[in-house]
Short mmCIF file of all heavy atoms in Angstrom, two decimals:
data_model
loop_
_atom_site.label_atom_id
_atom_site.label_comp_id
_atom_site.label_asym_id
_atom_site.label_seq_id
_atom_site.Cartn_x
_atom_site.Cartn_y
_atom_site.Cartn_z
N TRP A 35 -4.64 -11.86 -84.57
CA TRP A 35 -3.82 -10.92 -83.80
C TRP A 35 -4.00 -9.53 -84.39
O TRP A 35 -3.97 -9.35 -85.62
CB TRP A 35 -2.35 -11.33 -83.86
CG TRP A 35 -1.99 -12.48 -82.98
CD1 TRP A 35 -1.97 -13.80 -83.31
CD2 TRP A 35 -1.58 -12.41 -81.60
NE1 TRP A 35 -1.58 -14.56 -82.24
CE2 TRP A 35 -1.33 -13.74 -81.18
CE3 TRP A 35 -1.39 -11.37 -80.70
CZ2 TRP A 35 -0.91 -14.05 -79.87
CZ3 TRP A 35 -0.97 -11.67 -79.40
CH2 TRP A 35 -0.74 -12.99 -79.01
N PHE A 36 -4.17 -8.56 -83.48
CA PHE A 36 -4.35 -7.17 -83.87
C PHE A 36 -3.32 -6.30 -83.16
O PHE A 36 -2.81 -6.65 -82.09
CB PHE A 36 -5.73 -6.64 -83.47
CG PHE A 36 -6.89 -7.29 -84.16
CD1 PHE A 36 -7.46 -8.45 -83.64
CD2 PHE A 36 -7.43 -6.74 -85.31
CE1 PHE A 36 -8.54 -9.05 -84.26
CE2 PHE A 36 -8.51 -7.33 -85.93
CZ PHE A 36 -9.07 -8.49 -85.41
N ARG A 37 -3.10 -5.15 -83.76
CA ARG A 37 -2.30 -4.12 -83.12
C ARG A 37 -3.21 -2.92 -82.86
O ARG A 37 -4.03 -2.57 -83.71
CB ARG A 37 -1.16 -3.72 -84.05
CG ARG A 37 -0.43 -2.47 -83.61
CD ARG A 37 0.61 -2.05 -84.61
NE ARG A 37 1.18 -0.75 -84.21
CZ ARG A 37 2.46 -0.45 -84.27
NH1 ARG A 37 3.33 -1.33 -84.76
NH2 ARG A 37 2.88 0.74 -83.88
N GLN A 38 -3.06 -2.31 -81.69
CA GLN A 38 -3.83 -1.11 -81.37
C GLN A 38 -2.89 -0.05 -80.81
O GLN A 38 -2.25 -0.25 -79.78
CB GLN A 38 -4.95 -1.42 -80.36
CG GLN A 38 -5.85 -0.21 -80.10
CD GLN A 38 -7.02 -0.52 -79.18
OE1 GLN A 38 -6.91 -1.36 -78.30
NE2 GLN A 38 -8.15 0.15 -79.40
N ASP A 39 -2.82 1.08 -81.49
CA ASP A 39 -2.05 2.21 -81.00
C ASP A 39 -2.93 3.02 -80.05
O ASP A 39 -4.16 2.97 -80.14
CB ASP A 39 -1.56 3.05 -82.17
CG ASP A 39 -0.51 2.31 -82.99
OD1 ASP A 39 0.61 2.14 -82.46
OD2 ASP A 39 -0.81 1.88 -84.11
N PRO A 40 -2.33 3.77 -79.13
CA PRO A 40 -3.11 4.49 -78.11
C PRO A 40 -4.21 5.35 -78.71
O PRO A 40 -3.96 6.17 -79.60
CB PRO A 40 -2.05 5.33 -77.40
CG PRO A 40 -0.79 4.57 -77.57
CD PRO A 40 -0.87 3.95 -78.94
N GLY A 41 -5.43 5.15 -78.25
CA GLY A 41 -6.55 5.95 -78.69
C GLY A 41 -7.01 5.67 -80.10
O GLY A 41 -7.84 6.42 -80.64
N LYS A 42 -6.49 4.61 -80.69
CA LYS A 42 -6.82 4.31 -82.08
C LYS A 42 -7.59 3.00 -82.21
O LYS A 42 -7.79 2.27 -81.23
CB LYS A 42 -5.53 4.22 -82.90
CG LYS A 42 -4.67 5.47 -82.87
CD LYS A 42 -5.35 6.65 -83.52
CE LYS A 42 -4.43 7.86 -83.55
NZ LYS A 42 -5.11 9.04 -84.16
N GLY A 43 -8.00 2.72 -83.44
CA GLY A 43 -8.70 1.47 -83.71
C GLY A 43 -7.74 0.30 -83.87
O GLY A 43 -6.58 0.38 -83.48
N LEU A 44 -8.24 -0.77 -84.46
CA LEU A 44 -7.47 -2.00 -84.58
C LEU A 44 -6.88 -2.17 -85.98
O LEU A 44 -7.54 -1.85 -86.97
CB LEU A 44 -8.37 -3.20 -84.30
CG LEU A 44 -9.12 -3.20 -82.97
CD1 LEU A 44 -9.95 -4.46 -82.85
CD2 LEU A 44 -8.17 -3.07 -81.82
N THR A 45 -5.67 -2.68 -86.01
CA THR A 45 -5.04 -3.06 -87.26
C THR A 45 -4.84 -4.57 -87.23
O THR A 45 -4.17 -5.09 -86.35
CB THR A 45 -3.67 -2.36 -87.44
OG1 THR A 45 -3.87 -0.95 -87.44
CG2 THR A 45 -3.01 -2.80 -88.74
N SER A 46 -5.42 -5.26 -88.19
CA SER A 46 -5.27 -6.72 -88.23
C SER A 46 -3.86 -7.07 -88.68
O SER A 46 -3.35 -6.55 -89.67
CB SER A 46 -6.29 -7.32 -89.20
OG SER A 46 -6.12 -8.72 -89.26
N LEU A 47 -3.23 -7.95 -87.93
CA LEU A 47 -1.87 -8.38 -88.25
C LEU A 47 -1.84 -9.75 -88.93
O LEU A 47 -1.27 -9.91 -90.00
CB LEU A 47 -1.03 -8.44 -86.96
CG LEU A 47 -0.85 -7.12 -86.21
CD1 LEU A 47 -0.12 -7.36 -84.89
CD2 LEU A 47 -0.11 -6.11 -87.07
N LEU A 48 -2.45 -10.72 -88.28
CA LEU A 48 -2.42 -12.09 -88.80
C LEU A 48 -3.71 -12.80 -88.43
O LEU A 48 -4.23 -12.62 -87.32
CB LEU A 48 -1.23 -12.86 -88.23
CG LEU A 48 0.16 -12.42 -88.71
CD1 LEU A 48 1.24 -12.99 -87.80
CD2 LEU A 48 0.40 -12.85 -90.14
N LEU A 49 -4.22 -13.60 -89.35
CA LEU A 49 -5.41 -14.41 -89.13
C LEU A 49 -5.02 -15.86 -89.35
O LEU A 49 -4.47 -16.21 -90.41
CB LEU A 49 -6.52 -14.00 -90.09
CG LEU A 49 -7.74 -14.91 -90.20
CD1 LEU A 49 -8.52 -14.91 -88.89
CD2 LEU A 49 -8.63 -14.50 -91.35
N ILE A 50 -5.29 -16.70 -88.36
CA ILE A 50 -4.98 -18.12 -88.48
C ILE A 50 -6.29 -18.90 -88.44
O ILE A 50 -7.05 -18.78 -87.47
CB ILE A 50 -4.07 -18.61 -87.34
CG1 ILE A 50 -2.85 -17.72 -87.18
CG2 ILE A 50 -3.62 -20.05 -87.60
CD1 ILE A 50 -1.95 -18.13 -86.01
N GLN A 51 -6.55 -19.66 -89.47
CA GLN A 51 -7.72 -20.52 -89.47
C GLN A 51 -7.46 -21.71 -88.54
O GLN A 51 -6.31 -22.06 -88.28
CB GLN A 51 -8.02 -21.03 -90.88
CG GLN A 51 -8.21 -19.94 -91.93
CD GLN A 51 -9.44 -19.12 -91.68
OE1 GLN A 51 -10.31 -19.49 -90.88
NE2 GLN A 51 -9.54 -17.98 -92.33
N SER A 52 -8.52 -22.36 -88.10
CA SER A 52 -8.37 -23.45 -87.14
C SER A 52 -7.58 -24.62 -87.71
O SER A 52 -6.96 -25.39 -86.97
CB SER A 52 -9.74 -23.93 -86.67
OG SER A 52 -10.48 -24.43 -87.76
N SER A 53 -7.57 -24.75 -89.03
CA SER A 53 -6.86 -25.86 -89.67
C SER A 53 -5.38 -25.54 -89.88
O SER A 53 -4.60 -26.42 -90.30
CB SER A 53 -7.50 -26.18 -91.02
OG SER A 53 -7.46 -25.04 -91.86
N GLN A 54 -4.99 -24.30 -89.61
CA GLN A 54 -3.60 -23.90 -89.84
C GLN A 54 -2.82 -23.93 -88.54
O GLN A 54 -3.38 -23.84 -87.44
CB GLN A 54 -3.57 -22.48 -90.44
CG GLN A 54 -4.26 -22.40 -91.80
CD GLN A 54 -4.34 -20.96 -92.30
OE1 GLN A 54 -4.55 -20.03 -91.52
NE2 GLN A 54 -4.21 -20.79 -93.60
N ARG A 55 -1.50 -23.97 -88.67
CA ARG A 55 -0.65 -23.98 -87.48
C ARG A 55 0.12 -22.67 -87.33
O ARG A 55 0.56 -22.34 -86.22
CB ARG A 55 0.32 -25.16 -87.54
CG ARG A 55 -0.37 -26.50 -87.45
CD ARG A 55 0.63 -27.61 -87.20
NE ARG A 55 1.31 -27.48 -85.91
CZ ARG A 55 0.81 -27.94 -84.77
NH1 ARG A 55 -0.38 -28.52 -84.74
NH2 ARG A 55 1.47 -27.81 -83.63
N GLU A 56 0.30 -21.95 -88.42
CA GLU A 56 1.00 -20.69 -88.30
C GLU A 56 0.74 -19.81 -89.52
O GLU A 56 0.32 -20.29 -90.58
CB GLU A 56 2.50 -20.89 -88.10
CG GLU A 56 3.23 -21.49 -89.27
CD GLU A 56 4.74 -21.54 -89.01
OE1 GLU A 56 5.22 -20.96 -88.03
OE2 GLU A 56 5.44 -22.19 -89.81
N GLN A 57 1.02 -18.53 -89.32
CA GLN A 57 0.94 -17.55 -90.39
C GLN A 57 2.11 -16.58 -90.21
O GLN A 57 2.50 -16.27 -89.07
CB GLN A 57 -0.38 -16.77 -90.36
CG GLN A 57 -1.57 -17.53 -90.89
CD GLN A 57 -1.57 -17.64 -92.40
OE1 GLN A 57 -0.96 -16.84 -93.10
NE2 GLN A 57 -2.25 -18.65 -92.91
N THR A 58 2.62 -16.10 -91.32
CA THR A 58 3.77 -15.18 -91.27
C THR A 58 3.49 -13.95 -92.12
O THR A 58 2.90 -14.05 -93.19
CB THR A 58 5.04 -15.89 -91.78
OG1 THR A 58 5.33 -16.99 -90.93
CG2 THR A 58 6.22 -14.94 -91.76
N SER A 59 3.96 -12.81 -91.60
CA SER A 59 3.89 -11.58 -92.36
C SER A 59 5.08 -10.72 -91.96
O SER A 59 5.12 -10.19 -90.84
CB SER A 59 2.58 -10.84 -92.08
OG SER A 59 2.57 -9.59 -92.74
N GLY A 60 6.05 -10.63 -92.85
CA GLY A 60 7.24 -9.84 -92.54
C GLY A 60 7.97 -10.36 -91.32
O GLY A 60 8.34 -11.53 -91.25
N ARG A 61 8.13 -9.49 -90.33
CA ARG A 61 8.83 -9.88 -89.09
C ARG A 61 7.91 -10.56 -88.08
O ARG A 61 8.36 -10.89 -86.97
CB ARG A 61 9.45 -8.62 -88.46
CG ARG A 61 10.56 -8.00 -89.29
CD ARG A 61 11.19 -6.78 -88.58
NE ARG A 61 10.26 -5.68 -88.44
CZ ARG A 61 9.71 -5.29 -87.29
NH1 ARG A 61 10.00 -5.93 -86.16
NH2 ARG A 61 8.89 -4.26 -87.25
N LEU A 62 6.68 -10.75 -88.44
CA LEU A 62 5.72 -11.35 -87.52
C LEU A 62 5.42 -12.79 -87.90
O LEU A 62 5.27 -13.12 -89.08
CB LEU A 62 4.41 -10.57 -87.54
CG LEU A 62 4.47 -9.07 -87.26
CD1 LEU A 62 3.08 -8.47 -87.33
CD2 LEU A 62 5.11 -8.80 -85.91
N ASN A 63 5.33 -13.62 -86.88
CA ASN A 63 4.94 -15.01 -87.07
C ASN A 63 4.00 -15.40 -85.95
O ASN A 63 4.33 -15.23 -84.77
CB ASN A 63 6.16 -15.93 -87.07
CG ASN A 63 5.78 -17.39 -87.16
OD1 ASN A 63 5.47 -18.04 -86.16
ND2 ASN A 63 5.79 -17.93 -88.37
N ALA A 64 2.83 -15.90 -86.31
CA ALA A 64 1.88 -16.33 -85.30
C ALA A 64 1.68 -17.84 -85.43
O ALA A 64 1.53 -18.35 -86.53
CB ALA A 64 0.55 -15.61 -85.47
#
Side-chain angles (χ1 to χ4, degrees):
Chain A
W35 283 92
F36 295 87
R37 168 185 173 138
Q38 185 176 31
D39 292 290
K42 302 295 184 182
L44 306 180
T45 299
S46 179
L47 298 174
L48 291 164
L49 168 66
I50 309 177
Q51 304 294 346
S52 61
S53 59
Q54 298 174 323
R55 294 193 64 85
E56 67 175 350
Q57 283 286 337
T58 298
S59 176
R61 293 183 295 108
L62 305 179
N63 175 276

